[in-house]
Amino acid sequence: MSGRMLAEVEVFGPRSCQVQPHADEERSVSSVSRSATSGGADRVVEEFTLKGGDEPPAAVQSVSSNADHVFAYDQRHIFQLSRAAGQGCVCERIEAAGCVVQEFSADTESIVVTFLVDDVPTLREIVDDLQSEGETVKLRRLLEDTSTETDRPVVLDRAKLTGRQREVLTRAHEMGYFEHPRDATAGDVADALDISTSTFTEHLAAAQRKLLDDLLDSR
């Protein structure tokens, strides 16, 4: 591949994000924006939107929350928090690589970020760096700029997958595991397959790695 690409990456169990912990079983984070404060480059203000649920989120009333509830409309609640810069969160790591986070969403398990990246080597560096920030990192989508590239299909060799790996991928897809927010958790899919959650994640990771080898090595 060559030219700019749109990448969508999911980071499970992010360690440094202060926004993702505000998601709960009823509400997901649908957007986030950030800016430096007037106090200098060592502080960052983040505003994020919690979407879903019929009642106001508990964080509105929680005195332990580090976020202030600043606005509400159409079952959406906007919060604002101030934090120290340079904490190594997902967005800061992507920005350090010269990319801009265009979209952000989060649920209780993971963060999904979308950004433009110049080339595959840079994308690999970003994914490798994000491995130290989360428990698992998954490339969900990769789109090439069709305004500058002719049609060059990527061939994914399904024969590389074992029968069990194909079964795991198929069931996870059918149950909505790859949706965001998810329609099913890893435990739900594992139960449907009558295997342990750890076995499910191992098969899934192996299958994704084989398919991504084809995708990222394509030119």
Side-chain angles (χ1 to χ4, degrees):
M1 291 182 180
S2 60
R4 303 196 84 187
M5 295 166 289
L6 185 72
E8 184 179 84
V9 175
E10 185 168 16
V11 181
F12 293 83
R15 299 181 178 91
S16 303
C17 182
Q18 294 192 22
V19 171
Q20 186 258 351
H22 291 85
D24 57 29
E25 296 301 325
E26 294 184 353
R27 301 167 187 83
S28 60
V29 179
S30 61
S31 65
V32 66
S33 57
R34 306 191 304 137
S35 68
T37 68
S38 58
D42 61 336
R43 300 295 298 177
V44 170
V45 169
E46 292 184 316
E47 288 187 355
F48 61 92
T49 302
L50 285 181
K51 178 182 178 181
D54 296 326
E55 299 296 328
V60 175
Q61 308 295 336
S62 175
V63 295
S64 62
S65 173
N66 63 339
D68 295 323
H69 183 249
V70 295
F71 198 77
Y73 69 103
D74 295 338
Q75 292 187 322
R76 291 171 172 83
H77 294 266
I78 300 177
F79 292 83
Q80 185 181 95
L81 63 84
S82 176
R83 64 167 177 82
Q87 295 186 352
C89 63
V90 170
C91 293
E92 287 181 343
R93 289 172 184 267
I94 292 172
E95 291 169 356
C99 302
V100 177
V101 175
Q102 295 189 346
E103 297 181 12
F104 177 106
S105 63
D107 60 17
T108 57
E109 294 185 357
S110 66
I111 287 172
V112 174
V113 286
T114 303
F115 55 94
L116 288 174
V117 61
D118 287 336
D119 48 52
V120 168
T122 302
L123 177 59
R124 283 180 173 150
E125 290 176 2
I126 291 173
V127 171
D128 287 345
D129 184 43
L130 291 177
Q131 296 284 357
S132 62
E133 167 59 14
E135 298 170 0
T136 306
V137 178
K138 179 175 69 178
L139 180 61
R140 292 167 53 100
R141 185 170 57 151
L142 186 61
L143 300 178
E144 210 170 358
D145 184 357
T146 56
S147 67
T148 58
E149 294 292 324
T150 57
D151 292 337
R152 294 158 58 189
V154 175
V155 178
L156 300 179
D157 186 2
R158 293 183 59 195
K160 290 183 176 181
L161 304 180
T162 66
R164 192 55 157 166
Q165 289 168 354
R166 286 196 296 272
E167 181 185 17
V168 165
L169 275 176
T170 300
R171 184 59 64 90
H173 176 69
E174 291 174 346
M175 294 181 64
Y177 177 77
F178 298 110
E179 300 298 323
H180 201 268
R182 286 186 187 80
D183 294 330
T185 66
D188 294 334
V189 182
D191 288 343
L193 292 166
D194 196 24
I195 58 177
S196 68
T197 302
S198 61
T199 299
F200 164 73
T201 56
E202 288 171 5
H203 283 309
L204 185 63
Q208 290 180 147
R209 185 163 54 249
K210 290 178 180 178
L211 295 177
L212 288 177
D213 284 344
D214 280 350
L215 180 64
L216 293 180
D217 284 342
S218 298
R219 297 291 187 272

